[in-house]
Each structure stands twice: as C-alpha cells, then as structure tokens.
Amino acid sequence: MDKYISLAHGNGGRLMRELIDELFARCLASPGLDTQVDAAAVQIAAGDGELLVSTDGFTVQPLEYPGGNIGSLAVHGTVNDLAVAGAIPAVLTVNTFLEEGLEIATLERLLVSMGEAARAASVRIAAGDTKVVRRGEGSGVYFATTGLGTRDAGVDLGMQRIAIGDEVLVSGPVGDHGTAVMLARQAFGLRGELESDEACVLPLTRALLDLPGLRFMRDPTRGGLATVAHEIAMGTGHGVRLRETDVPVRDEVASVCKLLGYDPYYLACEGRVLAVVAAADAEEALARWQATPTGSGAQHIGTISDAAPRVILETMIGGERYLEELEDDPLPRIC
Amino acid sequence: MDKYISLAHGNGGRLMRELIDELFARCLASPGLDTQVDAAAVQIAAGDGELLVSTDGFTVQPLEYPGGNIGSLAVHGTVNDLAVAGAIPAVLTVNTFLEEGLEIATLERLLVSMGEAARAASVRIAAGDTKVVRRGEGSGVYFATTGLGTRDAGVDLGMQRIAIGDEVLVSGPVGDHGTAVMLARQAFGLRGELESDEACVLPLTRALLDLPGLRFMRDPTRGGLATVAHEIAMGTGHGVRLRETDVPVRDEVASVCKLLGYDPYYLACEGRVLAVVAAADAEEALARWQATPTGSGAQHIGTISDAAPRVILETMIGGERYLEELEDDPLPRIC
C-alpha cells in the first residue's frame, strides 16, 4: 500500500477499494461488516423500549494526544451521547474525511484505536464511507459517527423531570480533555503529563439507570461544565447553584488554566457525566459512581434552586459569581 | 445574525445555539426535531422486515451546480443508497463541517435545499451535529448523512442472486452529474446548460421491488456505470457485457467528454439506478421504469455472461473492449 493518502484513495476505484478492505475493514472489523453493500441490515431489539439515534463530528487537533486520539474519540463521543440519554449503544456508522497527504501509518493508528474503543463499548460498526479532500481543504482527518441504541421503556430522563432541590453531581475532575489537548498542541510552550479523560461513560450511566430519582444526565464536552449548567438553567427555568469547593479540578488543570487565563469549567471533558438526581437518591448515586473504575472522583457539586434561570458559583472565598454563557471560543477544535 | 461563519459558531456557546436554532432547525424542520437532546428517539416500524442503515459523506465542489447543491445531494446520496438496497428510508441524521468564513446566506440556501429534499423523500431529520473548522482546513461545507430505513421481509436483493443470462438495465442517461459539476467549475473554460441528474431514486426502486426477477440494484455514483459493472463482475465471478449502442449518454455529455478526454461511463450519476433483472422480467422492469418521472430514458444495456469476471463493451463499430477498473481519478470531489 502507498505511504500517503492521495486523491485516488477516494475515487471509488481500485486504490479506494484496497484502502477500505485492507485498512478500514481490518481495523474496524465487526463480524458481518460487508464493505460491498449500499446499506447494512442491523439487528436491534428495542423490545418495549425505544430506538435512539445520535450523531457527532470530530475535528480535534492534534489528531493524537495523551489519553486518546480522534479515532477513539469518534467512538466515545457518540457512544457517550447515547449513554447519557439512558440508552445502551449497539451500532455505529463512521464517516471519514481524509486530507490528501495524510500518512497512512497515522490513519492506521487512529483506526486501530477506533476499533478497540468500539469493541470495548460493545458497539458494532455497521457501515462507513470515506472521502478524500485536497491538501489544504482538511486537516488530516475528520470523522463523523452516528450511533444507534436502545432505551428501556422504564427509563425516563430529561430536563422536564428536573425539580427545585435536586442535586447536581459530576463523575470526576473537569477540564482534563481540554487541557490535555491544549498541552499536546504545545501552543504555549508548555508540556505536561496530564491525560485526557476520554472514555466510554456507559459504566457510569448504567450504574444510575434504575435509580427512581435520576432526572437527567449529560456529558460536558464542548463548552464544559458551565455550558451544561447553562443548558439546564435555560431548559428548566430554574437556577443552578454550584459550589467551587466541591467541583473537582486537577491541580495541573488549575495551574495551566490560571497561567493562561482559562476557566476549567468551560473546558471540555470527554469521559465525565453530569447528573441531576433527586436529593433523596443523591447519596446512593454518588456511592454507585464512586464504585466504578472512572467514577472514583465523583462529587456533589451543587443544587437546583428556585432562583432565576442562571448559573451561580459559590466561590471558595465565600462570594458568588455568575457563570455566564460562553461567548467566544476559549479553545477551538477540542473535539 | 452574522454574515459569515466564525469559529465561535462551533464552540457550544450562544452563537452556536443561535445558528442551530435559527438556521438549521428552521430549514430542516421536522416535526419533533429537538435540538436540546443528546440522542433522539426514532419510531421505525420494521415489522417482520429489517432495519437498514447507510452513511455517506459529501465534499462536492462547487457547493452549488445546475440541478442541485451539496445540501440536496447529502439527502439524495444516502436516501438512494437505502433505496437501491430495497429499503424505504425513514430517518436521516446530518453532520456539518463548516469552514470559517463561509457566507451564512450560502449555508442557508444549502439547508433549504436539504430540507426540501428530505420532505420530498418523506424522511425525517432526527439528529444533527455541527463543527466549525478554521479557514483553509475545509472548503466551505462538508456534510455527512446517515439514513435509517426498513426493508420488507419479502425483499431479497444482492449480488449473490445474479445469474448468467440476467439483463442489465439503467434508468436513464449516464454521466450527467459528473459533467454538470465539471462544467459548473468552468475549469476548462466551458459552460453548458446541462443539469445534474441528482434526484431521489425511490420512485424507480419502489417500482421494481415486487418483481420476482429483480436481483440487484445500485446507483452508479463515484466511478460511474463502469465501476458498478466491475463490482458486479468481481462480486459474482461472471462477465458483464454492455452494448455501447444501448447505453444512454446525452449528446452534450458525449461532446464534453470527447473534448476533454473523459469516458462518461466512469462519471458519476446521482439519480440513476442500475438494475440486474432475470431475463423473463426485464421487459416488465423496463416498462415500469419508463412510466416513472425520471425513468423515461431507461434502457436495457447488457447481460450477465458466462465469460471471465470482466466488463466487456461491445462498441458501436462492432468491436469489443474491456472497461478496466478505475485507477486514477478522472474528476475528484464530484459528490
């Protein structure tokens, strides 16, 4: 096979067929993946439940960073969106936009990670498509993934279920992914050992699904914790009160953010869950999360209040400040 | 709203929310499209049949051309892949990759076309995601769409059903899309009135679904008619014999191709179907296609033969030549 992607890898002819059969199919091998069909039959048994669909695009730079890469991220991003909606993901489709000149060895590493992430999350890659764009019209690789999953009939989640007095929980430290990607860019001459929190959140979401007091879950990706809190305030008409002392932030994330003037609450996570839970079930939810492999740092971080629909942070020194809606982009291309 | 796309339209904050709510949701309005959820519930009743999934990416340049644009194409491409597999499309998801600096008025035209195409094909846009990439890392807009549809239990299509003696049909002139896009680029100083054949092929595919002799259908997009014929030869182990006198090619397409040294058999169509049908049902299939709005130019163009698995063209002057597999890209970024 060639060493670099050329436009002919996207033209529907021999080179493209070889790329699909020898690289994509091998790395993403799912039993029954047929690269010759226009549409693939998928067996999904929703039973009395619902079929859910979610889709996400991925443009992170650099393509590889400590703790993950755009290939595994493209699985986790969509799997996690299904998971926080209360679904069990089953099937994934993958769109790839390759830039002419990409090293094929790089693509292979990304696809190997993608395949591993899919197998670990028990999702089957059922269909894909690959396009090649000219040099200077992409940035290596963009992926888009679409996921299908099933949600049991008993699971009822959504902002409409959130009530005043509910507790807000987060499953671990925030801002790791955004900070790790920023450091990987070395854009500021900084380097660090921090890893992205990128992970499949299914163990976290499944742990809470049968809790009657579970109201709502979301993964704080683009825009971070503060943006999800805003969405809750706007979606419910209630206030969201967060306690700075309780929001977990790693020392390294706090240091880098302080140095560069970022607020970690607005930086992306890729393996965390924010949950709103009825006060009566909050202790139980926290205990369940803390018993999972990625939930040891879970915390109560705030409450839903009867104040106006804004996000208020109780600061460490006893004051209060509003967390405003994100206006300008602190850190583009983080996912 | 602003006049141009900026990076902040992709950051998960206010500008992004406004873009999604005021442009995407309005243009793509499907009843029940909820821009606030991570995953959308979809109601698809497959009954005794199967759920099918298909996905496709779109990078055509220019974004707009006579007969269509990348917005409508992104619907037709995926809808058609489901249709030729024998399915009835039901649900679509849309990924958008916007380049910083894109005029928002252009985006609006594309999204309006996308919405119209979806409604005309009776597919519901159930979920979407939008990313913004930096200037010089895209080319205006890339789309990826993923479609879900259902295929009745009685429908059995595939290359494994193709037998020696079967007839090959095409639903209309080939190479219109490729040629129209090439002319729209004005890359050769040529202009023409030719329009892309871009269309939803559901009326064509539905017309044949209950024919017992229907073996296989495919839409000849990237790589054109010759590439599909090759796929059939390789997939079945049989020869594919095409008759040059019977393959419909518009005069304008033939002239432009002759002038520039292209072979129209390798140029993309975006609204045609190639079908393989048992000889006994071929006349009936042709009559049904010719009775549809886009099938008036349908033709018998060849047969499946007991020769080696290659594609042979009987030329107009009575000779024979092999149609080889596509090696280099005659016309990149056509879809």
Side-chain angles (χ1 to χ4, degrees), chain A residues 293-317:
Chain A
T294 61
S296 59
Q299 293 274 9
H300 280 169
I301 60 168
T303 54
I304 305 299
S305 82
D306 60 358
R310 299 194 70 167
V311 182
I312 293 175
L313 183 71
E314 299 174 6
T315 66
M316 287 189 188
I317 55 170

Side-chain angles (χ1 to χ4, degrees), chain B residues 189-270:
Chain B
L190 294 170
R191 300 187 63 168
E193 295 307 314
L194 185 75
E195 291 206 340
S196 165
D197 57 296
E198 194 202 311
C200 173
V201 302
L202 258 177
L204 294 162
T205 58
R206 290 182 88 140
L208 305 192
L209 282 185
D210 67 343
L211 264 191
L214 178 67
R215 314 285 205 194
F216 173 80
M217 296 188 285
R218 181 156 287 172
D219 51 334
T221 56
R222 264 187 296 193
L225 173 68
T227 297
V228 175
H230 256 285
E231 290 165 351
I232 293 172
M234 289 199 303
T236 62
H238 303 319
V240 178
R241 241 187 137 74
L242 302 178
R243 298 178 299 269
E244 191 175 18
T245 47
D246 291 333
V247 178
V249 179
R250 287 188 200 283
D251 289 344
E252 184 165 6
V253 170
S255 307
V256 170
C257 283
K258 193 168 180 187
L259 194 65
L260 300 175
Y262 290 117
D263 182 339
Y265 293 5
Y266 290 88
L267 296 187
C269 310
E270 289 291 347

Side-chain angles (χ1 to χ4, degrees), chain A residues 50-117:
Chain A
E50 291 178 297
L51 182 66
L52 263 72
V53 62
S54 184
T55 193
D56 213 348
F58 302 88
T59 64
V60 65
Q61 280 292 328
L63 299 174
E64 300 169 285
Y65 44 81
N69 63 46
I70 194 172
S72 50
L73 185 66
V75 172
H76 292 142
T78 292
V79 161
N80 290 352
D81 280 347
L82 286 168
V84 295
I88 307 301
V91 164
L92 214 58
T93 66
V94 178
N95 296 95
T96 307
F97 296 89
L98 300 172
E99 185 187 12
E100 180 187 13
L102 176 70
E103 198 177 20
I104 291 179
T106 303
L107 177 61
E108 183 167 6
R109 287 196 302 277
L110 304 178
L111 293 177
V112 165
S113 291
M114 177 177 275
E116 286 171 357

Side-chain angles (χ1 to χ4, degrees), chain A residues 36 137 142 218 333, chain B residues 36 137 142 218 327 333:
Chain A
Q36 303 299 314
E137 295 185 347
Y142 302 138
R218 182 156 285 174
R333 307 285 301 283
Chain B
Q36 303 299 314
E137 296 185 347
Y142 301 138
R218 181 156 287 172
E327 279 284 337
R333 306 286 300 284

Side-chain angles (χ1 to χ4, degrees), chain A residues 7-17 36-44 50-59 61 80-82 84-85 87 91 93-95 97 99 126-134 136-139 142-146 148 151 159 216-219 222-223 227 231 234 325-330 332-333 335, chain B residues 7-17 36-44 50-59 61 80-82 84-85 87 91 93-95 97 99 126-134 136-139 142-146 148 151 159 216-219 222-223 227 231 234 325-330 332-333 335:
Chain A
L7 287 172
H9 284 107
N11 72 354
R14 182 179 61 85
L15 280 174
M16 174 152 190
R17 180 168 50 79
Q36 303 299 314
V37 294
D38 293 294
V42 289
Q43 280 80 41
I44 299 185
E50 291 178 297
L51 182 66
L52 263 72
V53 62
S54 184
T55 193
D56 213 348
F58 302 88
T59 64
Q61 280 292 328
N80 290 352
D81 280 347
L82 286 168
V84 295
V91 164
T93 66
V94 178
N95 296 95
F97 296 89
E99 185 187 12
D129 180 70
T130 301
K131 291 286 185 289
V132 179
V133 300
R134 276 186 302 226
E137 295 185 347
S139 62
Y142 302 138
F143 286 117
T145 53
T146 303
L148 297 172
R151 181 166 61 190
M159 287 203 193
F216 173 81
M217 296 188 285
R218 182 156 285 174
D219 51 333
R222 262 186 298 192
T227 297
E231 289 165 352
M234 290 200 302
E325 188 173 10
L326 195 64
E327 281 283 339
D328 57 344
D329 199 353
R333 307 285 301 283
C335 60
Chain B
L7 287 172
H9 283 107
N11 72 353
R14 183 179 61 83
L15 280 174
M16 174 152 192
R17 180 169 51 78
Q36 303 299 314
V37 294
D38 293 294
V42 290
Q43 279 81 42
I44 298 185
E50 291 177 297
L51 181 67
L52 263 71
V53 63
S54 184
T55 194
D56 214 347
F58 301 89
T59 63
Q61 280 292 327
N80 290 353
D81 279 347
L82 287 168
V84 295
V91 164
T93 66
V94 179
N95 295 96
F97 296 90
E99 186 187 10
D129 181 69
T130 301
K131 292 286 185 292
V132 179
V133 300
R134 277 186 301 225
E137 296 185 347
S139 61
Y142 301 138
F143 285 118
T145 54
T146 303
L148 298 172
R151 181 166 63 190
M159 287 202 194
F216 173 80
M217 296 188 285
R218 181 156 287 172
D219 51 334
R222 264 187 296 193
T227 297
E231 290 165 351
M234 289 199 303
E325 187 173 11
L326 195 64
E327 279 284 337
D328 56 344
D329 199 353
R333 306 286 300 284
C335 58

